[in-house]
Structure formats: structure tokens, C-alpha cells
């Protein structure tokens, strides 16, 4: 309540300075992070931050300012500066507060009261690294890390909205090295969870990192070919990232997406569903309201292969003649913009083994490099590493290759497996994509 009253005071100063409308956001955070390598603690950091942002509207003009001080004594100056900035920028007929903003009363179980000590983080990282080093074939370690963060978000607007929520995050990661000299290979594993009780066992994280590093030893560079590509769940969600970039309302308005004219059209095979669920309990990106105070709700982006929704904030919604669907995100220093939250691809009926069973020769991708994706044309080209698939089974490791295609064709020929797990903000099962080009030797 004190934070809400604080922002209410800031908004009153903005009104007094000449703002017709305004909103204010406060983000307060505590973070504790630990880095350990070869039995020694290299970094132990604790930070506490408290930042606020003010966005004002003067007619059809707007401006945003941010401050790291929450001292009320500076509010008059901060508000006056924001209003002065707004008066000299061009008018924006689509700007303004969200009409859909409303009070929210929902418990998403996002705050864990169990704050770990530095000693417990050290023990967690040590367990992960020791497990990685114990894997036969592992020769070195790039270390293990453990962390905790608590973030409070408060939003108040002159239209009467006031809301707050708290989210915590626990993390563990490990990176292992296998082999010697120039033949050395590395790999990693990690996990984040809102509640420590949901965090994967540190020893398992370390052991998995070690096994993955050893499996990559002596990689080959296969010959260039056109073949099926199977994406491991660790990288398969990247395809969802390309999708949400293409259906972001701001990109649609600008016309800078290959899907700008595809609303209501089939872009995936029948049976494929993509969903964004900001109300998933204990979700890493869950929130009761968005960056403009609009209540969140599950949004089906792709329904049975058909594009069903854009990701919208208030401004992009007005430009498209629609209403916001509660997907605005914002920081303290700029305006809101559309983005996804807990994004996932609904799993299919086949296991990963069944998905690969008929592949005589294919590629199983476990790592992607580079960002060679053109959002305007859909052209796709990324560096990759992984394993060959031969006669339906994972075979020798491969590296120094590029996989290429177009997102239009990739989406149309995408087949999801049944191994979906919610481990990240964006989640997808194992995915098979037909007819991609693998550029190698």
C-alpha cells in the first residue's frame, strides 16, 4: 500500500504540472547470485534496486522519464520535466492509457517466502559442479551458478487503476568441458523456478551438463544435404520466438512481418496449437495484469494451425482497430510494447522416438548460434550443432553446420512430439521440421 500511495503522489504532481493523464510504475528488486568454479567461490553478489517511471500525456503528446530515487522531494521536478518533454514531441493519435485496465484479484502463487542464504547457494552450486566433474570424460569446468531474485511491480494510473504483484526466481546452472586442447567440447544445463521447491536437483543439473559435453566429443562436419531436422526441447522454443516476433502488434502495424496479412489463415499443419498463458500458477513469466493494467488471460495464438491472434498492447490495438489483449510489457524508462509471457506449443501424440523412427538420415539439433532470421521475408539461417539421425536413432555428433529454410515452410511442416515440459518462459516439445537444408562440408 505504501508503494501505491507513493506512485499516487507522483501522479498528483504530474497532474499539477499540466498532464491530462499519466501512469507510474515502480520496480523494486533484490537479487543474490553466486558463481563457483573448481571448488572456489568466484563471485557472490547481492543487489537491491528500486526504480520508478512516469509516463505523462498532454493532449495527444506523451513522454516518459525514469528515476532511481523514490524520494518524494524530487517528484515535482520529475513531473515537470516529463510534461515539458511531452509538449515538444509530435502528436500520437493512438497513444493514451488503456481503456481495458481494471482491478485484478487473482492468486498465481508467484512469491516464495523462502529466501536462500549465501551458504545455501554455495552448497547448491558446489553440488552441481561436483556432479558435472564426476561424469567420466569431463576434464574441466566452466563453473556452476546459483541465484535468487525477488521483484515487486507496482502500477498506478490516473484512470483509477492500482495494482501490485511480487515474483521470485530461483536458479541453478552448470557448464562442463570434455576432452583436451582443440578437441575440447562444452555443454551446459540450467533451470529456473518461481519456488525453490520446484527447482530441479542441482546434482541432476550438473550430471546432465557433463553427459552432454562428453556426448559432443569428436564432432564431424557432415555433407550438405536436404533432410528432416529435429529440434531438441532446449532449442525448439526458439521457433516460437520467431512466431511471436512475427505476430507482435507493433510489427504488424509497421508491416515489417511476413505474417502481416495472414490473420485467419492456416500457417501450421492441422492440430498445431500455440498458446500464451500469463495466468499459469508459478509460471516464470506469469502476471495478473500487464504493463498497462489490463487484466491478463490465456490467449490462443494459433488454433488448429490457423493464426488466431496478434500480441497487442493498447497502442498497437488502436492502430489495428482492435482491443488490447493484455500483453503489454514495460520498463521504467519507456512506453509499453507487446510481448509474450508463458508461451508454449501444445504437444502432439508421438514420442520423440516415434517422431524420428522413419528418418533414414536427419539432423538432431541441440544448439543454435547466430540470429540469421529475416522477420520481413521469413528467411531462416542459423548456425547449429547436434547429432546426425541415422535409421531413426541418434548417431554421431556434428558441428560447424548451418540449417536454412523459410519460416513459412518450416511452420507448415512442423510436427510436435509429446514431451512438453514447462521449464522456461517459452516452452516447446521436441519438434520435427521436414525439408530443411543442412549446409556442411
Amino acid at each position: 500500500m505504501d508503494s501505491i500511495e507513493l506512485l499516487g503522489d507522483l501522479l498528483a504532481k504530474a497532474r499539477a504540472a499540466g498532464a491530462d493523464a499519466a501512469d507510474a510504475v515502480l520496480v523494486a528488486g533484490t537479487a543474490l547470485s553466486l558463481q563457483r568454479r573448481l571448488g572456489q567461490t568466484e563471485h557472490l553478489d547481492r543487489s537491491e534496486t528500486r526504480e520508478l517511471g512516469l509516463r505523462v500525456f498532454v493532449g495527444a503528446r506523451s513522454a516518459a522519464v525514469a528515476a532511481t530515487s523514490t524520494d518524494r522531494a524530487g517528484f515535482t521536478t520529475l513531473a515537470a520535466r516529463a510534461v515539458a518533454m511531452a509538449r515538444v514531441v509530435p502528436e500520437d493519435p493512438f497513444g493514451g492509457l488503456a481503456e481495458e485496465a481494471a482491478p485484478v484479484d487473482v492468486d498465481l502463487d508467484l512469491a516464495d517466502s523462502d529466501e536462500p542464504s549465501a551458504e545455501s547457494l554455495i552448497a547448491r552450486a558446489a553440488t552441481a559442479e561436483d556432479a558435472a566433474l564426476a561424469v567420466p570424460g569431463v576434464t574441466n569446468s566452466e563453473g556452476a551458478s546459483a541465484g535468487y531474485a525477488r521483484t515487486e511491480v507496482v502500477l498506478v494510473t490516473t484512470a483509477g487503476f492500482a495494482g501490485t504483484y511480487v515474483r521470485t526466481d530461483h536458479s541453478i546452472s552448470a557448464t562442463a568441458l570434455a576432452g583436451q586442447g582443440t578437441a575440447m567440447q562444452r555443454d551446459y544445463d540450467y533451470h529456473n523456478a518461481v519456488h525453490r521447491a520446484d527447482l530441479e536437483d542441482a546434482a541432476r543439473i550438473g550430471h546432465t551438463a557433463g553427459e552432454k559435453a562428453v556426448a559432443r566429443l569428436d564432432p564431424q562436419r557432415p555433407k550438405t544435404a536436404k533432410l528432416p531436422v529435429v529440434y531438441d526441447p532446449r532449442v525448439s522454443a526458439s521457433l516460437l520466438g520467431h512466431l511471436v516476433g512475427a505476430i507482435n502488434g507493433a510489427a504488424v502495424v509497421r508491416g515489417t512481418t511476413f505474417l502481416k496479412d495472414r490473420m485467419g489463415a492456416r500457417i501450421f499443419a492441422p492440430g498445431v496449437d500455440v498458446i500464451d498463458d500469463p495466468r499459469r500458477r508459478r509460471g516464470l513469466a506469469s502476471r495478473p495484469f500487464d504493463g498497462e493494467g489490463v487484466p491478463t488471460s490465456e490467449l490462443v495464438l494459433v488454433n488448429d494451425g490457423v493464426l488466431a491472434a496478434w500480441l497487442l498492447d493498447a497502442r498497437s490495438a488502436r492502430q489495428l482497430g482492435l482491443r488490447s489483449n493484455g500483453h503489454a510489457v514495460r520498463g521504467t524508462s519507456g512506453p509499453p510494447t507487446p510481448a509474450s509471457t508463458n508461451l508454449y506449443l501444445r504437444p502432439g501424440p508421438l514420442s520423440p522416438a516415434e517422431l524420428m523412427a522413419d528418418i533414414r538420415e536427419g539432423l538432431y539439433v541441440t544448439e543454435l548460434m547466430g540470429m540469421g532470421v529475416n522477420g520481413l521475408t521469413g528467411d531462416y539461417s542459423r548456425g547449429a550443432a547436434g547429432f546426425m539421425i541415422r535409421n531413426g536413432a541418434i548417431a554421431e555428433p556434428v558441428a560447424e553446420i548451418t540449417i536454412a529454410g523459410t519460416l513459412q515452410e518450416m511452420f507448415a511442416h512442423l510436427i510436435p512430439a509429446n514431451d512438453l515440459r514447462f521449464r522456461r518462459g517459452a516452452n516447446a516439445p521436441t519438434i520435427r521440421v521436414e525439408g530443411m537444408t543442412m549446409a556442411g562440408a
Side-chain angles (χ1 to χ4, degrees):
M1 186 58 68
D2 289 343
S3 296
I4 290 176
E5 291 177 353
L6 181 77
L7 295 187
D9 189 21
L10 178 58
L11 293 180
K13 293 294 192 290
R15 286 280 208 183
D20 298 313
D23 59 13
V25 61
L26 173 71
V27 180
T30 300
L32 182 63
S33 62
L34 178 283
Q35 180 70 32
R36 184 177 176 86
R37 181 174 181 271
L38 297 177
Q40 300 295 319
T41 299
E42 294 190 332
H43 300 287
L44 176 59
D45 300 313
R46 181 182 176 88
S47 64
E48 295 187 9
T49 59
R50 192 170 169 87
E51 300 180 0
L52 59 81
L54 172 67
R55 183 174 59 142
V56 300
F57 296 90
V58 179
R61 297 178 169 87
S62 68
V65 295
T68 56
S69 171
T70 57
D71 185 354
R72 282 182 167 87
F75 282 4
T76 298
T77 300
L78 188 67
R81 183 179 300 122
V83 171
M85 290 169 59
R87 284 175 172 153
V88 299
V89 300
E91 291 188 349
D92 178 5
F94 301 104
L97 301 177
E99 296 88 348
E100 299 84 359
V104 177
D105 183 16
V106 59
D107 178 17
L108 302 179
D109 198 12
L110 299 180
D112 186 358
S113 60
D114 186 6
E115 179 175 341
S117 64
E119 291 76 16
S120 68
L121 292 185
I122 292 172
R124 188 188 305 170
T127 298
E129 184 178 43
D130 290 348
L133 290 169
V135 174
V138 170
T139 54
N140 207 334
S141 165
E142 284 192 356
S145 64
Y148 165 81
R150 181 185 187 276
T151 304
E152 177 188 13
V153 177
V154 186
L155 176 66
V156 180
T157 78
T158 56
F161 176 86
T164 181
Y165 63 90
V166 174
R167 180 167 51 232
T168 54
D169 179 87
H170 298 264
S171 63
I172 180 67
S173 70
T175 302
L177 299 170
Q180 300 288 342
T182 57
M184 190 174 287
Q185 294 291 324
R186 64 178 290 280
D187 215 312
Y188 64 93
D189 197 19
Y190 72 96
H191 189 227
N192 292 68
V194 168
H195 285 252
R196 182 158 61 170
D198 298 331
L199 192 66
E200 289 190 4
D201 179 66
R204 178 180 178 183
I205 293 293
H207 185 77
T208 300
E211 285 190 325
K212 288 179 179 294
V214 172
R216 294 180 64 168
L217 286 172
D218 302 319
Q220 308 298 307
R221 192 180 185 201
K223 293 182 178 180
T224 296
K226 192 168 186 178
L227 40 63
V229 172
V230 178
Y231 288 76
D232 182 88
R234 189 167 69 174
V235 294
S236 60
S238 65
L239 297 178
L240 298 186
H242 302 316
L243 170 68
V244 297
I247 62 174
N248 184 294
V252 175
V253 167
R254 293 192 300 267
T256 55
T257 163
F258 68 96
L259 293 178
K260 63 180 183 294
D261 299 319
R262 302 287 288 166
M263 180 55 64
R266 180 170 301 285
I267 60 172
F268 288 87
V272 173
D273 298 322
V274 180
I275 298 159
D276 192 78
D277 184 10
R279 293 288 181 96
R280 185 160 65 83
R281 287 181 64 80
R282 298 192 178 191
L284 288 173
S286 294
R287 56 192 182 182
F289 55 87
D290 76 349
E292 297 177 295
V294 178
T296 57
S297 61
E298 181 181 276
L299 180 65
V300 178
L301 301 172
V302 175
N303 183 20
D304 195 25
V306 175
L307 180 58
W310 308 122
L311 291 171
L312 300 172
D313 63 354
R315 184 173 185 274
S316 61
R318 293 186 187 110
Q319 290 174 296
L320 293 169
L322 302 169
R323 297 178 67 85
S324 171
N325 49 31
H327 278 77
V329 298
R330 65 181 298 178
T332 57
S333 60
T337 187
S340 60
T341 58
N342 297 308
L343 183 70
Y344 70 96
L345 173 66
R346 198 186 300 279
L350 301 177
S351 69
E354 291 170 327
L355 199 67
M356 295 186 289
D358 67 336
I359 297 178
R360 181 179 177 184
E361 181 181 61
L363 175 67
Y364 187 87
V365 176
T366 60
E367 186 174 13
L368 292 167
M369 290 80 76
M371 290 302 295
V373 179
N374 188 320
L376 182 60
T377 65
D379 291 337
Y380 178 99
S381 177
R382 298 194 64 179
F387 302 85
M388 293 302 293
I389 302 171
R390 301 196 185 281
N391 298 317
I394 301 294
E396 73 275 13
V398 293
E400 298 182 17
I401 55 178
T402 300
I403 53 175
T406 69
L407 290 174
Q408 294 93 324
E409 288 296 315
M410 293 167 65
F411 289 168
H413 297 97
L414 179 153
I415 306 171
N418 65 359
D419 58 338
L420 175 67
R421 294 176 63 200
F422 291 100
R423 300 185 77 237
R424 304 172 180 89
N427 298 276
T430 300
I431 288 175
R432 173 174 172 172
V433 179
E434 299 293 336
M436 295 189 68
T437 298
M438 176 186 68

